[in-house]
Amino acid sequence: MTSIEHLDDETLITIIITNDAASRGAAFHIDQCSICRHELEVWRRISDLAQVSVASVPPAGAELDEQVFGLLGGPERQDAALPTRRPVFRYLDRRRRARWLISVPLAVVAIILAVTIGSGSTAPSDALVLATIRNSPAAAATLTHHFTSETVLRAPPGYVAIEYHDHGADSPHSNAFEITSTEIEPDGPRINPTTIVSDGSFVYLPCEPGWRSIGQKPCVAYPAQGGAPGSLADLRTAHGPVVRLGERKVDGVETTGYGVAVSVSAMVDTLIPSERSLSEYDNATLSDVHMKVWSDSRGLARELDLTWLERQPNLPALLHGSETEQLSYSKAPLRVSVPNRSTVTFVPNVTAAINLENQYQNELSACSRMHTVCNG
Amino acid sequence: MASKERAGGGEETSLSEDPGVADASLVAHIGPGDRESLEMLYRRHGPSLLALLTRILDDPQMAEEVVQDTFMAVWNGARFDGRSRVRTWLVAIAIRQAGSRRRRRRFPLASHTPDLASEAPGPEDAAVVRLDVDRLVREISQLTRFQREVVLLAFAEQLTHPEIAEVLGVRVGTVKSRLHGAKTALKRNWEQGETE
């Protein structure tokens, strides 16, 4: 194939769908041909349009189910487990956990509404609600913030939905945090929970004895410049429109709900460059996050419900992310246990930590291919 | 979300509870009249089929009707010959049912701008859609229906050109032509947007 014979639309579309230029024998051509690269980007943009367009259709109500089964005279609907999809949707690896160091601050924000919530007085204006939300990080700075969250990434047919169960705490005052995450793939291998801690100075990834196989100490840490998972700072990027959700009890506490959005691009802009490069590394594209915030009479968030759309670079499918998070607060200082420094390799930033992780994973893969046991 | 353990009892009982059961097995059981298999098939494909049809037809109400028609056709014995995936077969039935509905209505499809807020379960759920997606949806809805059809089948359903041709009952060349037309139209819109 010469550079004059450009790739046709069908080939370009197939490359996008399969995410594989090499097997189409087109990787070199695309690399050399700016016209084909441009056309590929055009089709990629159209692919995004198509997927977002379909993914954004609101789900049908129960009425449609009833109509379908009513027409058939079939049995009354029963709640059933969500169907699992094949092939297995395994795009997440240990890197994913590291990426959540960016995502988690977004997810575990709390909103302090210093307004007359539930007092029966005139409802606050949108501007006041937003201003309060944006200024709220300072209001909780002396409280330890505890959270549990359930996150689900759903994909179109052909893939398996993945769940994350996280729990942890952080202290905005000291910047210390501890977060334990469990990844659940239906019918997938059991993945043990991982815990990441920070004393406010360094973030310590889970220790792994196998790291010795690449000449490293079993624990890795990097400077905690980006803030803790429980940081409320990201709420500074919240924006309208503000939606009033009414009142309801969360864990026995009366709350008032507001719907707002958090701008991902603005949030990424607030990250330090080393962590911003992490988002570039994974190259995931996220929509703005829609948040429902349920706050108690003191203005402390008791529940956050988040939804977003996500596109991973190695997947042709668009993902639906959702997360429900329960929050509580205490005045007790957060104490975390960090590894002995003699067992820790300190690296300059999170990107360097990820590079080490990749090196380790490659080593494991090589060992696996050679059917040998790699010892530290 | 957890799947249930397969009980030691009859196969029919456990079939619909097992998320690993292949679509083709469900279709095979629907033939003799197994409603649970139909329900399982509907739960697997109904929602995403509805989303696809909503965008192709640009008409949520008609999309719901077509989904009903589609599963009614499956229940009433639409034949699956195993040459394609079940999903592709369902899409093909839906496209045919949509054509049939349009002919029965005898008026052109409304080409309205989707009111996402009014379609959403609640106003709070619409907000996230409005933020980033609204503009994208509008771009797709500005294509002709034939163009939308091929674009959505190619990228949302990820069908190959021959599969799209079979689903639509047209030649592969027609699929290519419509895709090219969609690309040209979208590029033109983007260029106009940049100059405005």
Side-chain angles (χ1 to χ4, degrees), chain A residues 9-10 17 39 43 45 47 52-53 56 60 65 67 69 71-72 74 77 84-85 163 245 261 288 290 292 316, chain B residues 1 19 35 38-39 42-44 50 55 68 75 124-125 128 131-133 154-155 158 176 180 183 187 190:
Chain A
D9 285 340
E10 186 173 5
I17 297 299
E39 285 298 293
W43 280 117
R45 187 171 172 181
S47 174
V52 167
S53 173
S56 63
D65 299 1
Q67 286 165 2
F69 294 113
L71 281 172
L72 303 174
R77 177 185 175 183
T84 309
R85 310 296 189 185
E163 290 184 39
L245 304 175
D288 281 359
H290 180 225
K292 298 175 186 174
Chain B
M1 209 56 219
R35 287 196 179 96
L38 181 75
E39 182 171 344
Y42 169 74
R43 292 204 190 290
R44 285 184 183 182
L50 176 68
R55 290 303 179 222
Q68 290 180 36
W75 182 242
E124 68 279 13
D125 293 314
V128 68
L131 296 173
D132 282 326
V133 178
F155 294 108
Q158 303 188 349
K176 291 181 177 178
H180 186 78
K183 181 179 71 171
K187 283 171 78 173
W190 295 335

Tab-separated table of all heavy atoms in Angstrom, chain A residues 9-10 17 39 43 45 47 52-53 56 60 65 67 69 71-72 74 77 84-85 163 245 261 288 290 292 316, chain B residues 1 19 35 38-39 42-44 50 55 68 75 124-125 128 131-133 154-155 158 176 180 183 187 190:
chain	number	residue	atom	x	y	z
A	9	ASP	N	-13.120	4.183	3.941
A	9	ASP	CA	-13.923	4.407	5.139
A	9	ASP	C	-14.160	3.112	5.904
A	9	ASP	O	-14.130	3.092	7.138
A	9	ASP	CB	-15.281	5.023	4.750
A	9	ASP	CG	-15.148	6.496	4.374
A	9	ASP	OD1	-14.136	7.115	4.777
A	9	ASP	OD2	-16.044	7.021	3.681
A	10	GLU	N	-14.417	2.042	5.175
A	10	GLU	CA	-14.734	0.772	5.849
A	10	GLU	C	-13.553	0.316	6.717
A	10	GLU	O	-13.740	-0.134	7.849
A	10	GLU	CB	-15.091	-0.298	4.812
A	10	GLU	CG	-15.572	-1.591	5.462
A	10	GLU	CD	-16.087	-2.587	4.432
A	10	GLU	OE1	-15.988	-2.310	3.220
A	10	GLU	OE2	-16.604	-3.639	4.854
A	17	ILE	N	-13.686	0.395	15.486
A	17	ILE	CA	-14.519	-0.576	16.203
A	17	ILE	C	-13.640	-1.606	16.913
A	17	ILE	O	-13.888	-1.981	18.055
A	17	ILE	CB	-15.472	-1.297	15.218
A	17	ILE	CG1	-16.434	-0.295	14.593
A	17	ILE	CG2	-16.241	-2.411	15.931
A	17	ILE	CD1	-17.328	0.407	15.563
A	39	GLU	N	-8.802	11.549	8.634
A	39	GLU	CA	-10.066	10.840	8.389
A	39	GLU	C	-10.398	9.906	9.553
A	39	GLU	O	-11.551	9.757	9.935
A	39	GLU	CB	-9.971	10.041	7.087
A	39	GLU	CG	-10.064	10.901	5.846
A	39	GLU	CD	-11.396	11.633	5.742
A	39	GLU	OE1	-12.425	10.980	5.553
A	39	GLU	OE2	-11.391	12.873	5.863
A	43	TRP	N	-13.826	9.954	11.807
A	43	TRP	CA	-14.683	8.794	12.112
A	43	TRP	C	-14.738	8.521	13.606
A	43	TRP	O	-15.762	8.093	14.131
A	43	TRP	CB	-14.205	7.557	11.351
A	43	TRP	CG	-14.647	7.540	9.920
A	43	TRP	CD1	-13.851	7.564	8.825
A	43	TRP	CD2	-15.996	7.510	9.426
A	43	TRP	NE1	-14.614	7.549	7.674
A	43	TRP	CE2	-15.931	7.514	8.026
A	43	TRP	CE3	-17.247	7.494	10.043
A	43	TRP	CZ2	-17.067	7.499	7.216
A	43	TRP	CZ3	-18.386	7.471	9.249
A	43	TRP	CH2	-18.292	7.477	7.858
A	45	ARG	N	-14.637	10.742	15.866
A	45	ARG	CA	-15.564	11.739	16.414
A	45	ARG	C	-17.006	11.316	16.138
A	45	ARG	O	-17.881	11.463	16.988
A	45	ARG	CB	-15.253	13.099	15.775
A	45	ARG	CG	-16.030	14.255	16.361
A	45	ARG	CD	-15.504	15.580	15.827
A	45	ARG	NE	-16.360	16.684	16.240
A	45	ARG	CZ	-16.152	17.958	15.909
A	45	ARG	NH1	-15.096	18.269	15.170
A	45	ARG	NH2	-16.975	18.903	16.307
A	47	SER	N	-17.988	8.272	15.764
A	47	SER	CA	-18.235	7.131	16.646
A	47	SER	C	-18.650	7.615	18.027
A	47	SER	O	-19.598	7.090	18.636
A	47	SER	CB	-16.972	6.272	16.746
A	47	SER	OG	-17.144	5.252	17.696
A	52	VAL	N	-22.508	8.291	22.274
A	52	VAL	CA	-23.079	9.202	23.271
A	52	VAL	C	-24.569	9.378	23.015
A	52	VAL	O	-25.391	9.404	23.933
A	52	VAL	CB	-22.366	10.568	23.219
A	52	VAL	CG1	-23.138	11.606	24.016
A	52	VAL	CG2	-20.960	10.441	23.758
A	53	SER	N	-24.915	9.477	21.757
A	53	SER	CA	-26.313	9.687	21.396
A	53	SER	C	-27.189	8.560	21.933
A	53	SER	O	-28.228	8.801	22.546
A	53	SER	CB	-26.423	9.768	19.870
A	53	SER	OG	-27.748	9.799	19.474
A	56	SER	N	-27.189	8.234	25.917
A	56	SER	CA	-27.851	9.287	26.680
A	56	SER	C	-29.367	9.182	26.646
A	56	SER	O	-30.045	10.011	27.241
A	56	SER	CB	-27.420	10.653	26.136
A	56	SER	OG	-27.852	10.786	24.799
A	60	ALA	N	-36.319	3.436	29.738
A	60	ALA	CA	-37.777	3.403	29.723
A	60	ALA	C	-38.294	3.112	31.123
A	60	ALA	O	-37.611	2.488	31.929
A	60	ALA	CB	-38.253	2.329	28.760
A	65	ASP	N	-42.101	-2.291	30.159
A	65	ASP	CA	-42.025	-3.710	30.526
A	65	ASP	C	-43.433	-4.283	30.651
A	65	ASP	O	-43.730	-5.364	30.143
A	65	ASP	CB	-41.306	-3.888	31.868
A	65	ASP	CG	-39.873	-3.381	31.816
A	65	ASP	OD1	-39.469	-2.890	30.751
A	65	ASP	OD2	-39.181	-3.483	32.831
A	67	GLN	N	-46.139	-3.183	29.383
A	67	GLN	CA	-46.833	-3.249	28.096
A	67	GLN	C	-46.378	-4.459	27.291
A	67	GLN	O	-47.183	-5.169	26.713
A	67	GLN	CB	-46.576	-1.962	27.305
A	67	GLN	CG	-47.339	-0.769	27.843
A	67	GLN	CD	-46.812	0.549	27.302
A	67	GLN	OE1	-45.897	0.562	26.486
A	67	GLN	NE2	-47.364	1.643	27.782
A	69	PHE	N	-45.007	-7.293	28.380
A	69	PHE	CA	-45.452	-8.559	28.945
A	69	PHE	C	-46.972	-8.631	29.009
A	69	PHE	O	-47.545	-9.718	28.981
A	69	PHE	CB	-44.818	-8.777	30.311
A	69	PHE	CG	-43.333	-8.954	30.195
A	69	PHE	CD1	-42.467	-8.010	30.710
A	69	PHE	CD2	-42.811	-10.028	29.503
A	69	PHE	CE1	-41.108	-8.147	30.560
A	69	PHE	CE2	-41.447	-10.177	29.346
A	69	PHE	CZ	-40.582	-9.234	29.871
A	71	LEU	N	-48.833	-7.499	26.593
A	71	LEU	CA	-49.191	-7.937	25.243
A	71	LEU	C	-49.039	-9.443	25.097
A	71	LEU	O	-49.802	-10.110	24.415
A	71	LEU	CB	-48.282	-7.252	24.214
A	71	LEU	CG	-48.616	-5.811	23.851
A	71	LEU	CD1	-47.511	-5.237	22.980
A	71	LEU	CD2	-49.945	-5.757	23.119
A	72	LEU	N	-48.016	-9.935	25.773
A	72	LEU	CA	-47.739	-11.368	25.644
A	72	LEU	C	-48.585	-12.194	26.591
A	72	LEU	O	-48.601	-13.412	26.502
A	72	LEU	CB	-46.260	-11.633	25.946
A	72	LEU	CG	-45.273	-10.857	25.089
A	72	LEU	CD1	-43.863	-11.082	25.585
A	72	LEU	CD2	-45.404	-11.283	23.638
A	74	GLY	N	-47.882	-12.565	29.547
A	74	GLY	CA	-46.874	-13.306	30.294
A	74	GLY	C	-46.959	-13.048	31.777
A	74	GLY	O	-47.848	-12.336	32.247
A	77	ARG	N	-43.803	-9.117	36.036
A	77	ARG	CA	-42.368	-8.913	36.088
A	77	ARG	C	-41.809	-9.291	37.453
A	77	ARG	O	-42.393	-9.010	38.480
A	77	ARG	CB	-42.090	-7.432	35.814
A	77	ARG	CG	-40.635	-7.088	35.925
A	77	ARG	CD	-40.443	-5.613	35.761
A	77	ARG	NE	-39.057	-5.280	35.996
A	77	ARG	CZ	-38.603	-4.050	35.979
A	77	ARG	NH1	-39.387	-3.063	35.751
A	77	ARG	NH2	-37.351	-3.806	36.203
A	84	THR	N	-25.134	-10.671	33.010
A	84	THR	CA	-23.704	-10.503	32.794
A	84	THR	C	-23.412	-10.652	31.314
A	84	THR	O	-24.063	-11.412	30.634
A	84	THR	CB	-22.932	-11.571	33.568
A	84	THR	OG1	-23.399	-11.562	34.907
A	84	THR	CG2	-21.453	-11.282	33.547
A	85	ARG	N	-22.454	-9.911	30.827
A	85	ARG	CA	-22.150	-9.928	29.406
A	85	ARG	C	-20.837	-10.636	29.141
A	85	ARG	O	-19.932	-10.611	29.950
A	85	ARG	CB	-22.069	-8.508	28.857
A	85	ARG	CG	-23.246	-7.648	29.211
A	85	ARG	CD	-24.501	-8.160	28.599
A	85	ARG	NE	-25.581	-7.204	28.788
A	85	ARG	CZ	-26.833	-7.435	28.432
A	85	ARG	NH1	-27.175	-8.570	27.901
A	85	ARG	NH2	-27.765	-6.528	28.624
A	163	GLU	N	-18.054	-3.518	39.450
A	163	GLU	CA	-18.409	-2.762	40.649
A	163	GLU	C	-17.160	-2.505	41.481
A	163	GLU	O	-16.239	-3.322	41.507
A	163	GLU	CB	-19.370	-3.568	41.522
A	163	GLU	CG	-20.754	-3.728	40.960
A	163	GLU	CD	-21.651	-4.455	41.942
A	163	GLU	OE1	-21.534	-4.195	43.155
A	163	GLU	OE2	-22.442	-5.281	41.496
A	245	LEU	N	-34.220	18.748	44.830
A	245	LEU	CA	-34.629	17.344	44.834
A	245	LEU	C	-35.595	17.023	45.961
A	245	LEU	O	-36.042	15.894	46.080
A	245	LEU	CB	-33.390	16.447	44.958
A	245	LEU	CG	-32.312	16.653	43.896
A	245	LEU	CD1	-31.093	15.804	44.202
A	245	LEU	CD2	-32.859	16.310	42.517
A	261	ALA	N	-23.649	19.968	39.070
A	261	ALA	CA	-22.693	19.251	38.227
A	261	ALA	C	-21.285	19.655	38.622
A	261	ALA	O	-21.063	20.746	39.138
A	261	ALA	CB	-22.932	19.561	36.755
A	288	ASP	N	-19.036	15.704	32.242
A	288	ASP	CA	-19.208	16.313	33.548
A	288	ASP	C	-19.983	15.342	34.428
A	288	ASP	O	-20.762	14.528	33.937
A	288	ASP	CB	-19.987	17.620	33.429
A	288	ASP	CG	-19.084	18.749	32.954
A	288	ASP	OD1	-17.889	18.486	32.744
A	288	ASP	OD2	-19.591	19.868	32.786
A	290	HIS	N	-22.733	14.493	37.134
A	290	HIS	CA	-23.963	14.996	37.735
A	290	HIS	C	-24.057	14.468	39.143
A	290	HIS	O	-23.938	13.268	39.361
A	290	HIS	CB	-25.165	14.540	36.915
A	290	HIS	CG	-26.459	15.024	37.486
A	290	HIS	ND1	-27.554	14.228	37.620
A	290	HIS	CD2	-26.805	16.232	37.975
A	290	HIS	CE1	-28.540	14.918	38.171
A	290	HIS	NE2	-28.110	16.137	38.387
A	292	LYS	N	-26.141	14.386	42.864
A	292	LYS	CA	-27.240	14.689	43.771
A	292	LYS	C	-26.641	14.713	45.165
A	292	LYS	O	-26.030	13.731	45.588
A	292	LYS	CB	-28.320	13.626	43.690
A	292	LYS	CG	-28.985	13.504	42.331
A	292	LYS	CD	-29.951	12.345	42.339
A	292	LYS	CE	-30.509	12.107	40.951
A	292	LYS	NZ	-31.348	10.885	40.897
A	316	PRO	N	-14.064	0.351	22.548
A	316	PRO	CA	-14.959	1.036	21.634
A	316	PRO	C	-16.276	1.427	22.301
A	316	PRO	O	-17.062	2.170	21.744
A	316	PRO	CB	-15.198	-0.013	20.544
A	316	PRO	CG	-14.989	-1.313	21.218
A	316	PRO	CD	-13.953	-1.085	22.278
B	1	MET	N	-26.803	-7.516	42.037
B	1	MET	CA	-26.022	-7.806	40.859
B	1	MET	C	-25.507	-9.230	40.855
B	1	MET	O	-25.083	-9.749	39.852
B	1	MET	CB	-24.835	-6.903	40.968
B	1	MET	CG	-24.143	-6.400	39.872
B	1	MET	SD	-24.216	-5.583	38.518
B	1	MET	CE	-23.146	-6.463	37.510
B	19	PRO	N	-27.200	-15.704	34.145
B	19	PRO	CA	-26.814	-14.656	33.204
B	19	PRO	C	-25.875	-15.149	32.124
B	19	PRO	O	-25.653	-14.469	31.141
B	19	PRO	CB	-26.134	-13.626	34.107
B	19	PRO	CG	-25.680	-14.393	35.290
B	19	PRO	CD	-26.675	-15.498	35.485
B	35	ARG	N	-41.927	-18.330	28.379
B	35	ARG	CA	-42.025	-16.882	28.596
B	35	ARG	C	-40.838	-16.343	29.398
B	35	ARG	O	-40.438	-15.205	29.244
B	35	ARG	CB	-43.337	-16.552	29.323
B	35	ARG	CG	-44.556	-16.693	28.455
B	35	ARG	CD	-45.735	-15.984	29.108
B	35	ARG	NE	-46.927	-16.081	28.280
B	35	ARG	CZ	-47.864	-16.996	28.440
B	35	ARG	NH1	-47.754	-17.885	29.400
B	35	ARG	NH2	-48.921	-17.020	27.649
B	38	LEU	N	-38.155	-15.434	27.113
B	38	LEU	CA	-38.456	-14.190	26.416
B	38	LEU	C	-38.201	-12.999	27.334
B	38	LEU	O	-37.635	-11.977	26.919
B	38	LEU	CB	-39.915	-14.169	25.947
B	38	LEU	CG	-40.271	-12.891	25.187
B	38	LEU	CD1	-39.687	-12.928	23.790
B	38	LEU	CD2	-41.766	-12.670	25.137
B	39	GLU	N	-38.604	-13.146	28.571
B	39	GLU	CA	-38.398	-12.050	29.521
B	39	GLU	C	-36.909	-11.773	29.688
B	39	GLU	O	-36.478	-10.617	29.719
B	39	GLU	CB	-39.035	-12.406	30.861
B	39	GLU	CG	-38.903	-11.274	31.876
B	39	GLU	CD	-39.722	-11.516	33.133
B	39	GLU	OE1	-40.614	-12.384	33.105
B	39	GLU	OE2	-39.465	-10.830	34.128
B	42	TYR	N	-35.651	-10.044	26.667
B	42	TYR	CA	-36.106	-8.652	26.682
B	42	TYR	C	-35.261	-7.825	27.656
B	42	TYR	O	-34.860	-6.704	27.350
B	42	TYR	CB	-37.583	-8.594	27.077
B	42	TYR	CG	-38.058	-7.194	27.364
B	42	TYR	CD1	-38.267	-6.287	26.332
B	42	TYR	CD2	-38.264	-6.777	28.672
B	42	TYR	CE1	-38.686	-4.995	26.600
B	42	TYR	CE2	-38.681	-5.487	28.940
B	42	TYR	CZ	-38.889	-4.597	27.912
B	42	TYR	OH	-39.286	-3.328	28.177
B	43	ARG	N	-34.999	-8.377	28.812
B	43	ARG	CA	-34.230	-7.616	29.795
B	43	ARG	C	-32.795	-7.386	29.297
B	43	ARG	O	-32.173	-6.391	29.613
B	43	ARG	CB	-34.208	-8.341	31.143
B	43	ARG	CG	-35.567	-8.381	31.798
B	43	ARG	CD	-35.487	-8.557	33.297
B	43	ARG	NE	-36.801	-8.825	33.845
B	43	ARG	CZ	-37.781	-7.931	33.914
B	43	ARG	NH1	-37.585	-6.697	33.466
B	43	ARG	NH2	-38.956	-8.258	34.412
B	44	ARG	N	-32.283	-8.329	28.555
B	44	ARG	CA	-30.932	-8.148	28.020
B	44	ARG	C	-30.882	-7.102	26.916
B	44	ARG	O	-29.954	-6.313	26.834
B	44	ARG	CB	-30.397	-9.466	27.453
B	44	ARG	CG	-29.967	-10.457	28.485
B	44	ARG	CD	-29.356	-11.681	27.833
B	44	ARG	NE	-29.003	-12.664	28.842
B	44	ARG	CZ	-28.423	-13.820	28.575
B	44	ARG	NH1	-28.140	-14.149	27.331
B	44	ARG	NH2	-28.129	-14.665	29.536
B	50	LEU	N	-34.223	-0.077	22.690
B	50	LEU	CA	-35.055	1.126	22.774
B	50	LEU	C	-34.202	2.379	22.571
B	50	LEU	O	-34.598	3.304	21.852
B	50	LEU	CB	-35.746	1.191	24.139
B	50	LEU	CG	-36.575	2.450	24.386
B	50	LEU	CD1	-37.803	2.481	23.470
B	50	LEU	CD2	-37.009	2.546	25.847
B	55	ARG	N	-32.998	6.937	18.900
B	55	ARG	CA	-32.131	7.825	18.130
B	55	ARG	C	-32.323	7.657	16.625
B	55	ARG	O	-32.274	8.641	15.889
B	55	ARG	CB	-30.668	7.574	18.503
B	55	ARG	CG	-30.316	8.029	19.902
B	55	ARG	CD	-30.628	9.499	20.107
B	55	ARG	NE	-30.318	9.929	21.470
B	55	ARG	CZ	-31.080	10.731	22.185
B	55	ARG	NH1	-32.218	11.195	21.698
B	55	ARG	NH2	-30.717	11.088	23.398
B	68	GLN	N	-41.974	-3.024	21.418
B	68	GLN	CA	-43.079	-3.961	21.688
B	68	GLN	C	-43.311	-4.878	20.492
B	68	GLN	O	-43.441	-6.098	20.641
B	68	GLN	CB	-44.364	-3.184	21.982
B	68	GLN	CG	-44.371	-2.447	23.300
B	68	GLN	CD	-45.693	-1.703	23.501
B	68	GLN	OE1	-46.750	-2.178	23.107
B	68	GLN	NE2	-45.620	-0.546	24.104
B	75	TRP	N	-41.879	-13.499	19.932
B	75	TRP	CA	-42.788	-14.418	20.646
B	75	TRP	C	-43.673	-15.194	19.665
B	75	TRP	O	-43.971	-16.355	19.878
B	75	TRP	CB	-43.638	-13.598	21.617
B	75	TRP	CG	-44.583	-14.386	22.459
B	75	TRP	CD1	-45.947	-14.287	22.468
B	75	TRP	CD2	-44.256	-15.384	23.432
B	75	TRP	NE1	-46.482	-15.152	23.378
B	75	TRP	CE2	-45.463	-15.847	23.986
B	75	TRP	CE3	-43.056	-15.939	23.874
B	75	TRP	CZ2	-45.521	-16.829	24.963
B	75	TRP	CZ3	-43.097	-16.920	24.850
B	75	TRP	CH2	-44.316	-17.354	25.379
B	124	GLU	N	-33.666	16.157	37.672
B	124	GLU	CA	-32.285	16.065	38.118
B	124	GLU	C	-31.476	15.142	37.217
B	124	GLU	O	-30.289	15.311	37.031
B	124	GLU	CB	-32.213	15.584	39.572
B	124	GLU	CG	-32.648	14.148	39.802
B	124	GLU	CD	-34.148	13.983	39.889
B	124	GLU	OE1	-34.858	14.927	39.530
B	124	GLU	OE2	-34.603	12.898	40.302
B	125	ASP	N	-32.130	14.134	36.657
B	125	ASP	CA	-31.422	13.197	35.799
B	125	ASP	C	-31.122	13.814	34.441
B	125	ASP	O	-30.246	13.363	33.738
B	125	ASP	CB	-32.245	11.922	35.616
B	125	ASP	CG	-32.349	11.167	36.919
B	125	ASP	OD1	-31.321	11.012	37.589
B	125	ASP	OD2	-33.465	10.768	37.277
B	128	VAL	N	-27.376	16.085	33.808
B	128	VAL	CA	-26.087	15.592	33.340
B	128	VAL	C	-26.085	15.417	31.829
B	128	VAL	O	-25.086	15.622	31.161
B	128	VAL	CB	-25.720	14.266	34.036
B	128	VAL	CG1	-26.644	13.146	33.615
B	128	VAL	CG2	-24.290	13.896	33.746
B	131	LEU	N	-25.562	18.771	29.988
B	131	LEU	CA	-24.290	19.447	30.099
B	131	LEU	C	-23.403	19.257	28.879
B	131	LEU	O	-22.938	20.200	28.288
B	131	LEU	CB	-23.564	18.960	31.357
B	131	LEU	CG	-24.295	19.299	32.644
B	131	LEU	CD1	-23.619	18.645	33.817
B	131	LEU	CD2	-24.354	20.802	32.818
B	132	ASP	N	-23.177	18.026	28.520
B	132	ASP	CA	-22.218	17.765	27.452
B	132	ASP	C	-22.826	17.061	26.250
B	132	ASP	O	-22.294	17.117	25.159
B	132	ASP	CB	-21.091	16.876	27.984
B	132	ASP	CG	-20.109	17.647	28.808
B	132	ASP	OD1	-19.876	18.820	28.504
B	132	ASP	OD2	-19.586	17.071	29.742
B	133	VAL	N	-23.876	16.388	26.469
B	133	VAL	CA	-24.364	15.458	25.480
B	133	VAL	C	-25.380	16.083	24.535
B	133	VAL	O	-25.526	15.655	23.398
B	133	VAL	CB	-24.975	14.229	26.208
B	133	VAL	CG1	-25.557	13.241	25.239
B	133	VAL	CG2	-23.928	13.581	27.080
B	154	ALA	N	-23.386	1.171	12.712
B	154	ALA	CA	-21.940	0.944	12.592
B	154	ALA	C	-21.225	1.149	13.919
B	154	ALA	O	-20.352	0.349	14.286
B	154	ALA	CB	-21.347	1.866	11.530
B	155	PHE	N	-21.595	2.200	14.638
B	155	PHE	CA	-20.805	2.544	15.825
B	155	PHE	C	-21.473	2.176	17.139
B	155	PHE	O	-20.792	1.753	18.069
B	155	PHE	CB	-20.457	4.031	15.803
B	155	PHE	CG	-19.532	4.394	14.684
B	155	PHE	CD1	-19.983	5.108	13.595
B	155	PHE	CD2	-18.204	3.996	14.711
B	155	PHE	CE1	-19.135	5.424	12.547
B	155	PHE	CE2	-17.347	4.305	13.678
B	155	PHE	CZ	-17.809	5.023	12.588
B	158	GLN	N	-22.032	-1.567	16.359
B	158	GLN	CA	-20.760	-2.115	15.899
B	158	GLN	C	-20.951	-3.269	14.913
B	158	GLN	O	-20.301	-4.320	15.011
B	158	GLN	CB	-19.901	-2.523	17.085
B	158	GLN	CG	-19.669	-1.344	18.021
B	158	GLN	CD	-18.682	-1.616	19.117
B	158	GLN	OE1	-18.299	-2.749	19.325
B	158	GLN	NE2	-18.279	-0.579	19.806
B	176	LYS	N	-22.153	1.995	2.310
B	176	LYS	CA	-20.964	2.850	2.191
B	176	LYS	C	-21.348	4.256	1.773
B	176	LYS	O	-20.824	5.251	2.298
B	176	LYS	CB	-19.992	2.246	1.179
B	176	LYS	CG	-19.337	0.967	1.654
B	176	LYS	CD	-18.366	0.446	0.596
B	176	LYS	CE	-17.657	-0.807	1.093
B	176	LYS	NZ	-16.746	-1.375	0.086
B	180	HIS	N	-20.751	7.601	3.936
B	180	HIS	CA	-19.967	8.704	3.382
B	180	HIS	C	-20.781	10.000	3.423
B	180	HIS	O	-20.262	11.070	3.760
B	180	HIS	CB	-19.546	8.374	1.951
B	180	HIS	CG	-18.616	9.390	1.364
B	180	HIS	ND1	-17.272	9.424	1.680
B	180	HIS	CD2	-18.843	10.427	0.515
B	180	HIS	CE1	-16.713	10.438	1.047
B	180	HIS	NE2	-17.628	11.053	0.326
B	183	LYS	N	-20.818	11.323	6.923
B	183	LYS	CA	-19.540	11.947	7.275
B	183	LYS	C	-19.428	13.334	6.648
B	183	LYS	O	-19.037	14.304	7.318
B	183	LYS	CB	-18.383	11.065	6.791
B	183	LYS	CG	-17.010	11.629	7.136
B	183	LYS	CD	-15.891	10.720	6.678
B	183	LYS	CE	-15.753	10.717	5.167
B	183	LYS	NZ	-14.535	10.019	4.714
B	187	LYS	N	-19.136	16.764	8.789
B	187	LYS	CA	-17.956	17.618	8.615
B	187	LYS	C	-18.375	19.030	8.226
B	187	LYS	O	-17.815	20.020	8.688
B	187	LYS	CB	-17.028	17.023	7.548
B	187	LYS	CG	-16.210	15.852	8.054
B	187	LYS	CD	-15.474	15.146	6.940
B	187	LYS	CE	-14.234	15.852	6.486
B	187	LYS	NZ	-13.466	15.016	5.512
B	190	TRP	N	-19.616	20.785	11.241
B	190	TRP	CA	-18.515	21.179	12.132
B	190	TRP	C	-17.789	22.404	11.591
B	190	TRP	O	-17.424	23.304	12.339
B	190	TRP	CB	-17.524	20.011	12.292
B	190	TRP	CG	-18.123	18.829	12.988
B	190	TRP	CD1	-19.178	18.832	13.864
B	190	TRP	CD2	-17.728	17.461	12.876
B	190	TRP	NE1	-19.458	17.554	14.286
B	190	TRP	CE2	-18.579	16.690	13.703
B	190	TRP	CE3	-16.727	16.798	12.159
B	190	TRP	CZ2	-18.465	15.310	13.844
B	190	TRP	CZ3	-16.617	15.426	12.296
B	190	TRP	CH2	-17.467	14.684	13.127
